[in-house]
Amino acid sequence: MHVVWYTAMSMDGRIASADSSLDFLSTIGPGQPTPDGDPWDFDAFLARVEAIVVGASTLRWLLQGGHGWPHGNLPTWLLSRDAALAATVGATTAPLVRREGDVGAVFEEIDTAGHVIVWLCGGGGVAGQALAADRIDEVVVTVAPTVLGAGPALFDGVGLPLRRFRLEECRTLGGDAARLRWVRQR
Amino acid sequence: MHVVWYTAMSMDGRIASADSSLDFLSTIGPGQPTPDGDPWDFDAFLARVEAIVVGASTLRWLLQGGHGWPHGNLPTWLLSRDAALAATVGATTAPLVRREGDVGAVFEEIDTAGHVIVWLCGGGGVAGQALAADRIDEVVVTVAPTVLGAGPALFDGVGLPLRRFRLEECRTLGGDAARLRWVRQR
């Protein structure tokens, strides 16, 4: 199993503003055409994803913004103590299961189900728990050319171990954004 | 005048851990030899700096760690409400002046004094105030290949305007670290 935390952040590591706005993403220009052999542009990435892990805050943000849950075709594990939250998503073509407690056990379950490429869809709190459990295999982040100063971060967690990553990709993307791709060094 | 916020951060935008440790910097390998014409490696950068702005937290961290103030040869503006803090630095060959209140006025003062290249030496709170005053001209950040999850960030501030930057440099540096350099787009 290979867990990828794929997202965008501001120069200062925030994935949304303090009031949950994603307006900062407007500073990212259109991406270049996908180079041959680069599997990491979002559509190509999503086509490879076999299962999704999403936290309650991210899902609530999507629902409140009227986006619904756009990935109902992929088996999804929702990390939430709120038993009613999954029901508000409505019908999905693939199972959406809610789990709470140890995030490590959730990844065990996904692994056992045979899914190989898993997208950690958000947010930073879930990413922090996954990092603590050493379940983050890859971080793909587009760094927008602006600053937020506050808001949820790429990783949120206290006392996380200093996991070491290998920088696999470092390039300009979408005008003045930077694409960084890190793979866990084991 | 040209203000440069030059520092290092974790993948998730933290410039120190929650307990003020810089241990994460150990994940950055030795830099490559300075390429000709690249003025942005630290020693070459420092050689160009004409004045420094530093916040109280950064200075206290240096003093408490036994580092003293290593840049006493450069005119320095200390942003602090603590009148005693500057005195604890001891003798310096260049003036160390303490200011409090509006950071914009401090930059005006530095500009009037004729300094051209100004290093914002830290920390994220000062950087946030400087960004709000639109006094950040450049951000040079080395992104370490590890995660902190908590701690002071590259920019700390609530309700900052979405300033737009131009990505001027995006390259691997020091093994698995990334060097990003952004210039304010005006």
Side-chain angles (χ1 to χ4, degrees):
Chain A
M1 191 173 68
H2 188 81
V3 178
V4 185
W5 177 202
Y6 185 116
T7 193
M9 71 180 195
S10 62
M11 289 164 54
D12 54 327
R14 310 289 179 175
I15 58 173
S17 71
D19 58 356
S20 301
S21 163
L22 293 184
D23 286 353
F24 80 100
L25 296 179
S26 67
T27 61
I28 302 177
Q32 295 88 340
T34 310
D36 283 340
D38 171 2
W40 294 111
D41 281 68
F42 184 70
D43 290 343
F45 167 68
L46 193 59
R48 298 179 59 202
V49 168
E50 297 169 24
I52 292 178
V53 172
V54 63
S57 303
T58 302
L59 181 59
R60 275 201 201 95
W61 180 87
L62 285 164
L63 297 177
Q64 283 163 7
H67 305 279
W69 173 238
H71 308 296
N73 60 321
L74 285 166
T76 298
W77 275 255
L78 166 64
L79 300 175
S80 175
R81 288 188 213 92
D82 178 356
L85 182 58
T88 62
V89 171
T92 54
T93 53
L96 174 75
V97 299
R98 182 182 67 90
R99 294 287 181 268
E100 54 186 285
D102 179 23
V103 73
V106 173
F107 285 112
E108 290 287 342
E109 184 182 342
I110 299 171
D111 200 10
T112 302
H115 302 300
V116 177
I117 305 289
V118 178
W119 178 28
L120 195 162
C121 167
V126 174
Q129 292 174 50
L131 187 92
D134 208 1
R135 281 298 196 168
I136 299 284
D137 296 293
E138 188 159 345
V139 179
V140 183
V141 64
T142 302
V143 190
T146 195
V147 168
L148 286 169
L154 184 67
F155 288 89
D156 275 315
V158 174
L160 297 180
L162 274 187
R163 308 273 186 222
R164 184 78 162 69
F165 288 78
R166 203 170 60 236
L167 183 64
E168 289 282 329
E169 198 177 332
C170 177
R171 65 183 171 99
T172 305
L173 179 85
D176 292 307
R179 160 61 60 84
L180 300 178
R181 188 161 70 84
W182 314 84
V183 175
R184 175 81 170 103
Q185 197 175 73
R186 298 183 194 276
Chain B
M1 191 174 68
H2 188 83
V3 179
V4 185
W5 177 203
Y6 185 116
T7 193
M9 70 180 195
S10 62
M11 289 164 54
D12 53 330
R14 309 289 179 175
I15 58 173
S17 71
D19 58 356
S20 302
S21 164
L22 293 185
D23 286 354
F24 80 99
L25 296 179
S26 67
T27 62
I28 301 176
Q32 295 88 340
T34 309
D36 283 342
D38 172 3
W40 294 110
D41 281 68
F42 184 69
D43 290 342
F45 167 69
L46 193 59
R48 297 181 59 204
V49 168
E50 298 169 24
I52 293 178
V53 172
V54 64
S57 303
T58 301
L59 180 59
R60 275 200 201 95
W61 180 86
L62 285 163
L63 297 178
Q64 283 163 8
H67 305 280
W69 173 239
H71 308 295
N73 61 320
L74 286 167
T76 298
W77 275 257
L78 166 64
L79 299 175
S80 175
R81 287 189 213 92
D82 179 355
L85 182 58
T88 61
V89 170
T92 53
T93 53
L96 174 74
V97 299
R98 182 183 67 89
R99 292 288 181 267
E100 54 187 287
D102 178 23
V103 74
V106 174
F107 285 113
E108 290 287 342
E109 184 181 344
I110 299 172
D111 200 9
T112 302
H115 302 300
V116 177
I117 303 289
V118 179
W119 177 28
L120 196 163
C121 167
V126 174
Q129 291 174 51
L131 187 92
D134 207 2
R135 281 297 196 168
I136 299 283
D137 297 293
E138 188 159 346
V139 179
V140 183
V141 63
T142 302
V143 190
T146 195
V147 168
L148 286 170
L154 184 66
F155 288 89
D156 275 316
V158 173
L160 296 180
L162 274 186
R163 308 272 186 223
R164 184 77 162 69
F165 287 77
R166 204 172 59 236
L167 183 64
E168 289 282 329
E169 199 177 332
C170 176
R171 64 182 172 100
T172 305
L173 179 85
D176 292 306
R179 161 61 60 85
L180 301 178
R181 188 161 72 85
W182 315 83
V183 175
R184 176 80 172 101
Q185 196 176 74
R186 299 185 194 275

